[in-house]
Amino acid sequence: VSVLDREVFRELVREIGEQAANEVHAVFTAETETRLQLLRRLAIESERVRIGREAHSLKSSAATFGYRALAGLALRLEREAVRLADNEYRALLDAMDAAYSSAAAQELQG
């Protein structure tokens, strides 16, 4: 799975215009960074439902901007939050952070 599908964002620009797409993307960036930090603070043992909800939101927004790897990992977290051990949860968060950083870096390269 490629980390970034640029065509998804280009399609959004065609639908709502470049300025609006860039504004929505800025919100996505801020919310994603906040959500990834929040997930780091949540305890898998006691907050599985909230973790699943946060993962669902992250999956949807990441897919909207073509962050395919991040969306896939968030989907996995959404589905598996009910049974993950803490070390598995932490490893998945590490992979999500890496996927986000990688896609964001690819985006900057134009």
Side-chain angles (χ1 to χ4, degrees):
V1 176
S2 99
V3 283
L4 180 66
D5 181 350
R6 293 177 193 283
E7 186 53 37
V8 174
F9 186 72
R10 286 192 283 266
E11 180 61 31
L12 185 64
V13 169
R14 285 191 289 274
E15 288 177 15
I16 66 173
E18 189 168 355
Q19 182 178 348
N22 286 331
E23 289 170 6
V24 176
H25 185 272
V27 171
F28 161 73
T29 299
E31 285 182 351
T32 298
E33 290 169 3
T34 299
R35 186 165 278 127
L36 289 171
Q37 291 167 5
L38 172 65
L39 286 168
R40 288 269 175 208
R41 291 192 304 270
L42 296 176
I44 192 71
E45 297 84 7
S46 60
E47 299 180 280
R48 294 179 188 276
V49 172
R50 183 165 182 202
I51 289 167
R53 279 198 313 262
E54 294 294 336
H56 175 80
S57 296
L58 180 57
K59 171 197 71 180
S60 300
S61 60
T64 298
F65 291 96
Y67 281 53
R68 284 194 173 162
L70 179 59
L73 291 165
L75 172 62
R76 185 171 153 213
L77 177 56
E78 178 186 12
R79 289 180 174 166
E80 297 179 9
V82 295
R83 63 154 200 81
L84 287 174
D86 186 65
N87 64 325
E88 295 170 314
Y89 177 55
R90 299 286 159 205
L92 194 47
L93 291 179
D94 290 345
M96 291 168 68
D97 283 340
Y100 175 69
S101 296
S102 184
Q106 251 187 38
E107 232 175 21
L108 289 175
Q109 293 168 1

